[in-house]
Amino acid sequence: MKELKLETRVAVYAVGELDNIYRQLYEAAFEASKKAYAPYSKFHVGAAVLLENGEILSGNNQENAAYPSGLCAERTTLFYPDAAVQILAIAAMKDGERVDLITPCGACRQVMLETEQRYNKPMKVLLCGKEEAYLVPSATALLPFCFSKSDLI
Ligand code: THU
């Protein structure tokens, strides 16, 4: 028997320590969360991406009375641009307050991974909290031991 060790390193920043572009994405993600359509969960999630060309795009969760028809903020945002994503920032608000920290759901991690692999560029993920932001080095780091397109070959 041998054991595999799966390790993920996450850098934890005080919000005030974030460099300019990370701070911009942090604010853009919270701003995007304010326009979420979340009448059922009342959990407002925003995502902001920095594309390769320097453009910043954002999106939010879109719910539906037929619940499974809704979509998370991360996927709403990642499905639109046909481009590699350098950084994805995620933030949430509840009752008009910033949520302390949000980490993406499993389905979004799978989509983040596919985007990363499709363009062969690491996607840094910034998880935005009230006082701190967690920087994960890649989508793969958020979904170790994953199923991906290489399994289909
Ligand atoms: N949600 C996201 O948008 N992103 C996540 O990573 C987790 C959950 C949304 C889905 C649903 O609209 C609401 O938050 C409550 O689960």
Side-chain angles (χ1 to χ4, degrees):
M1 198 276 266
K2 63 176 181 175
E3 199 175 49
L4 296 178
K5 193 173 175 195
L6 306 171
E7 203 175 57
T8 297
R9 285 172 183 270
V10 177
V12 179
Y13 291 91
V15 172
E17 285 179 321
L18 292 173
D19 282 355
N20 190 27
I21 187 65
Y22 286 100
R23 187 59 194 263
Q24 240 177 290
L25 289 163
Y26 173 95
E27 296 300 343
F30 274 116
E31 208 46 46
S33 74
K34 293 180 189 162
K35 296 184 196 132
Y37 178 64
Y40 306 106
S41 71
K42 302 194 173 11
F43 192 71
H44 297 240
V45 186
V49 288
L50 174 70
L51 304 181
E52 261 191 320
N53 65 2
E55 204 179 339
I56 292 179
L57 296 180
S58 62
N60 37 44
N61 53 330
Q62 298 294 317
E63 296 184 349
N64 194 283
Y67 290 177
S69 304
L71 200 62
C72 292
E74 296 88 326
R75 277 176 285 164
T76 306
T77 310
L78 287 173
F79 284 150
Y80 176 68
D82 184 15
V85 170
Q86 295 189 52
I87 309 169
L88 163 69
I90 312 163
M93 295 191 65
K94 189 152 184 68
D95 302 325
E97 292 261 320
R98 292 183 171 195
V99 167
D100 213 9
L101 200 80
I102 175 172
T103 65
C105 76
C108 287
R109 288 176 199 220
Q110 190 72 42
V111 168
M112 287 154 61
L113 179 85
E114 184 93 13
T115 306
E116 180 168 277
Q117 292 187 344
R118 182 174 165 194
Y119 295 100
N120 205 18
K121 292 265 162 61
M123 181 196 303
K124 293 186 176 136
V125 185
L126 189 71
L127 308 175
C128 306
K130 259 193 242 177
E131 314 277 340
E132 289 179 333
Y134 286 28
L135 184 61
V136 186
S138 65
T140 310
L142 269 179
L143 194 64
F145 216 49
C146 54
F147 178 84
S148 71
K149 61 182 176 185
S150 60
D151 292 296
L152 296 175
I153 296 165

